Amino acid sequence: MPADRVGWHTVDSSQTTILAGSNPEVHMSQSYDRGLVENFGRWTEFSAGMWAWVFHKFTGWVLIGYLFTHIAVLSTAIEGASMYNGTLQGLEALLIVRFMEVGLLAVAVFHILNGVRLLFVDLGLGLDAQDKSFYASLILTGAIAVASIPTFLGGAF
Amino acid sequence: MAEHYTSFSRDDTRWLLQRVTAVFLVGVLAFHFMLLHFVHHAYEITLAGTTARMSQPGYFITMVSFLIAGTFHGVNGVYNALVNQGIEGTPRTIVKYGLIIVSLLLIAQGIRVAWAMTGGQLI
Amino acid sequence: MSTHVSESESEAQAGTDQQTTDRPAAQQRRLEKKRASNDQREQADSSTETDEETVHLKVFRYDPEVKDKQEPRFDDFHVPAKKGMTVLDALIYSRDHYDSSLTFRHSCRQAICGSDALFINGSQRLGCQTQIDELDQPVRVEPLPHQEVVKDLVVDMEHFYDQMDTVEPYFQEEDLPSGLDEQRQDRENREKIKMSTRCIWCGACMSSCNIAAGGNYLGPAAINKAYRFVMDEREGEDLKQQRLETIEEEQGVWRCQTQFSCTNVCPKDIPLTEHIQELKREAVKNNLKFW
């Protein structure tokens, strides 16, 4: 999981002080800090909105990571046509890259669809259907990813 | 009332910009994927084709805006995630300026690449 | 050991072990007999547990003053089931019949006082509002997550109350409209703030929010309180601006990630996420106006 998820199951001491109120020392000895209970050990108890958040964060990390590598790969254009064409076609010849592109499409489609869902939530529209719209995003993402497989793998074998 | 600040405070600027760029990116990312995977297949791409597209001013401007909006949206998202993580004080300042510098470098390199892709045929 | 495991019982056991060697034979026999009948009773208990007459509770126990309970553990209680029984009823029964040291907050038993928000089967709920027969058994009862446990099911609510106080959750306008002796509110405005006034300060929302868990986020309850007074037309304009500034701060509305956890658990069905989102838009509009 991306680094931002780690905090769900780690507790720093400063936080304990905040929660404990004015006299941390007394509280430390008299009360019990259970830490962050909703860690991934309890994933079965997560609700739709929490899953949407987890997936949106995860796909977001993938996309920003991809943006950096994308610009790096395209930078070969500065070196001239043979370098650029060679690099792109060399990468496209790798089967693993084709599969990763399907993954990238799935990630992008989910981020777009759930992003639209979040924009509606920001506008205060359809809040009662927020769980259904998340499930719809998931299903649609799956369908689009599966449907795109022939296009992405075309000519790879 | 009189004391109320009139400037746009930073947190809501970032919040609003994150949404505005989102709206733009939804359209352009979908367009980008359609064009370069379904209309033109990725394995058929050559510099000649890229240059033909990039030489159109509208396309060039769209792609550069795409880069800038995407970088802001992504890096701002990363920063928000780290703030949620509870990063504070000096590490936070370092991360903030680090991310700003990295973003500017990415945008600069992206524009450099885009310019090279036009093959000097733009305008 | 199917029923209550209290510290008195284990202490008694420790005592018998120690004395076994120098005890007269007659007393030894009586003790054996007693132990056997105890076992029988426990077996009887566990046999009733299989038919649907009892409710199986697993309750979080912690007490810094009792050596045995300094390390948190779960105790099992088998409570006779009754129609309409709530989790709170079962806890009260357990305390009154099995272990008087079982500690939890409760008062009105009708979802008004907000004392008995608990973490029941992995979700924040009011004990008094949760029907036992709607839950999977065993029913796991824990104190609210993300707050320090003081004893058993009692958590330290100080941080929550501090956050509530931040938005000054009370009506402050003193000026009366001209010609009136009272502050009047029109029907539309009453409807607008109606749901937000229902908060009972139980802290379930705050406990369910994993953003609030990590630190100083103002939290859904306090933001909802701000909403209640920001949207109330009777409240003065300067107080509205003051509260908007509070919720616009870094630890305010912007931290909300719209996971809907708070809305899902609110025992009074307050649309918390909706209110937080409306305040975000209100804050942006408010600042754009001056820009």
Side-chain angles (χ1 to χ4, degrees):
Chain A
M1 284 313 291
D4 70 323
R5 306 280 314 110
V6 175
W8 269 17
H9 28 102
T10 56
V11 183
D12 60 346
S13 53
S14 61
Q15 181 191 326
T16 313
T17 317
I18 295 155
L19 289 169
S22 55
N23 197 342
E25 276 167 17
V26 170
H27 278 275
M28 284 307 282
S29 59
Q30 288 185 347
S31 63
Y32 180 70
D33 182 0
R34 294 210 292 148
L36 301 172
V37 177
E38 279 131 338
N39 60 25
F40 265 93
R42 300 187 89 130
W43 61 273
T44 49
E45 288 160 3
F46 284 14
S47 62
M50 287 166 84
W51 280 119
W53 183 78
V54 170
F55 288 167
H56 203 74
K57 276 287 158 77
F58 175 73
T59 53
W61 280 98
V62 172
L63 289 172
I64 187 65
Y66 180 73
L67 179 59
F68 278 87
T69 43
H70 195 44
I71 296 295
V73 169
L74 295 185
S75 291
T76 52
I78 296 170
E79 310 289 326
S82 62
M83 181 72 176
Y84 182 77
N85 296 349
T87 308
L88 289 198
Q89 278 156 17
L91 284 171
E92 288 294 325
L94 300 171
L95 196 58
I96 180 81
V97 171
R98 298 299 189 92
F99 278 107
M100 281 167 80
E101 280 179 340
V102 179
L104 182 70
L105 177 82
V107 159
V109 168
F110 176 80
H111 203 80
I112 288 175
L113 293 176
N114 194 56
V116 170
R117 167 183 171 271
L118 289 175
L119 285 170
F120 276 104
V121 168
D122 284 328
L123 293 171
L125 299 171
L127 276 84
D128 293 336
Q130 62 89 12
D131 46 350
K132 290 182 201 78
S133 55
F134 165 63
Y135 298 134
S137 307
L138 271 187
I139 293 166
L140 213 53
T141 301
I144 290 173
V146 169
S148 75
I149 287 176
T151 312
F152 277 86
L153 298 187
F157 294 100
Chain B
M1 190 69 224
E3 285 173 42
H4 181 69
Y5 54 92
T6 53
S7 69
F8 214 38
S9 84
R10 277 168 146 194
D11 282 337
D12 50 302
T13 313
R14 286 199 299 115
W15 184 82
L16 189 61
L17 278 178
Q18 188 76 352
R19 269 87 199 146
V20 171
T21 52
V23 173
F24 176 69
L25 289 168
V26 162
V28 185
L29 180 58
F31 161 76
H32 185 65
F33 244 106
M34 285 306 287
L35 186 70
L36 293 167
H37 280 288
F38 294 91
V39 179
H40 306 284
H41 295 292
Y43 54 88
E44 295 165 347
I45 285 171
T46 58
L47 189 59
T50 304
T51 304
R53 282 187 294 275
M54 272 296 182
S55 304
Q56 302 161 33
Y59 189 83
F60 182 84
I61 290 166
T62 309
M63 286 301 110
V64 171
S65 317
F66 183 31
L67 172 71
I68 294 169
T71 306
F72 172 81
H73 189 89
V75 173
N76 187 46
V78 168
Y79 180 71
N80 285 341
L82 294 173
V83 168
N84 271 336
Q85 217 27 63
I87 187 169
E88 267 177 296
T90 316
R92 177 147 151 191
T93 315
I94 294 168
V95 162
K96 186 161 115 187
Y97 290 103
L99 286 175
I100 290 173
I101 290 165
V102 165
S103 306
L104 291 177
L105 287 176
L106 182 73
I107 291 171
Q109 176 67 6
I111 292 174
R112 202 173 137 230
V113 172
W115 188 254
M117 283 171 170
T118 62
Q121 290 170 41
L122 189 72
I123 309 163
Chain C
M1 198 137 304
S2 62
T3 43
H4 57 295
V5 188
S6 67
E7 86 274 16
S8 57
E9 194 174 346
S10 39
E11 272 163 20
Q13 268 171 6
T16 46
D17 290 345
Q18 206 178 21
Q19 289 160 18
T20 319
T21 44
D22 53 313
R23 196 182 279 135
Q27 192 188 346
Q28 186 71 34
R29 272 200 308 278
R30 278 202 305 278
L31 275 169
E32 298 283 28
K33 207 174 154 190
K34 198 174 165 190
R35 216 179 270 171
S37 77
N38 267 346
D39 285 351
Q40 253 174 14
R41 207 179 62 213
E42 272 164 18
Q43 269 166 12
D45 275 354
S46 53
S47 69
T48 47
E49 151 196 358
T50 49
D51 56 52
E52 283 167 33
E53 297 302 308
T54 64
V55 173
H56 183 184
L57 294 181
K58 280 181 108 63
V59 183
F60 181 92
R61 303 301 303 272
Y62 165 78
D63 187 344
E65 288 164 10
V66 176
K67 198 155 191 293
D68 215 29
K69 287 198 280 189
Q70 277 167 2
E71 200 47 46
R73 60 157 198 249
F74 281 88
D75 280 358
D76 293 280
F77 294 99
H78 294 266
V79 178
K82 279 207 193 88
K83 200 171 180 215
M85 188 176 226
T86 64
V87 172
L88 180 64
D89 293 336
L91 286 172
I92 290 174
Y93 188 95
S94 305
R95 180 197 60 197
D96 293 351
H97 293 82
Y98 302 137
D99 184 350
S100 60
S101 73
L102 177 61
T103 310
F104 48 95
R105 291 193 181 107
H106 67 100
S107 179
C108 74
R109 294 171 292 126
Q110 47 193 327
I112 291 298
C113 72
S115 308
D116 66 339
L118 299 162
F119 197 53
I120 302 165
N121 277 4
S123 178
Q124 287 80 1
R125 314 172 208 242
L126 292 184
C128 59
Q129 206 187 29
T130 308
Q131 290 287 318
I132 285 266
D133 59 8
E134 287 171 7
L135 299 172
D136 291 335
Q137 289 201 36
V139 178
R140 209 176 154 88
V141 186
E142 298 167 65
L144 287 182
H146 310 141
Q147 276 132 303
E148 299 251 334
V149 182
V150 179
K151 186 184 176 188
D152 292 346
L153 301 173
V154 175
V155 292
D156 183 358
M157 301 281 282
E158 211 51 51
H159 178 62
F160 175 75
Y161 295 144
D162 284 348
Q163 301 296 62
M164 295 298 271
D165 288 341
T166 309
V167 299
E168 302 184 14
Y170 36 83
F171 195 72
Q172 294 174 61
E173 181 62 26
E174 306 237 324
D175 293 342
L176 292 169
S178 56
L180 283 176
D181 295 335
E182 61 199 4
Q183 295 282 355
R184 287 191 186 160
Q185 183 178 33
D186 62 38
R187 281 164 192 274
E188 286 87 51
N189 192 237
R190 169 64 198 159
E191 274 307 306
K192 182 161 187 62
I193 64 162
K194 184 174 84 181
M195 294 307 280
S196 67
T197 63
R198 295 176 58 168
C199 179
I200 55 172
W201 296 50
C202 68
C205 55
M206 189 79 163
S207 170
S208 76
C209 175
N210 67 52
I211 307 294
N216 279 327
Y217 170 41
L218 199 48
I223 294 173
N224 176 67
K225 270 290 164 199
Y227 177 96
R228 185 248 171 278
F229 289 104
V230 163
M231 297 300 171
D232 192 327
E233 285 166 356
R234 296 167 297 177
E235 186 70 305
E237 180 63 23
D238 50 339
L239 292 159
K240 175 178 174 169
Q241 294 301 333
Q242 194 184 312
R243 288 203 181 88
L244 278 177
E245 279 177 43
T246 305
I247 57 110
E248 274 172 46
E249 278 172 24
E250 188 188 295
Q251 296 297 338
V253 286
W254 314 116
R255 299 296 305 279
C256 168
Q257 312 274 308
T258 62
Q259 293 183 40
F260 292 87
S261 302
C262 55
T263 308
N264 287 341
V265 300
C266 178
K268 307 305 283 186
D269 296 326
I270 303 170
L272 293 160
T273 311
E274 193 177 330
H275 290 167
I276 298 170
Q277 293 301 86
E278 197 171 337
L279 282 179
K280 284 179 189 170
R281 296 196 299 276
E282 189 69 25
V284 169
K285 266 190 279 179
N286 196 40
N287 288 331
L288 273 177
K289 220 162 41 186
F290 294 94
W291 198 30

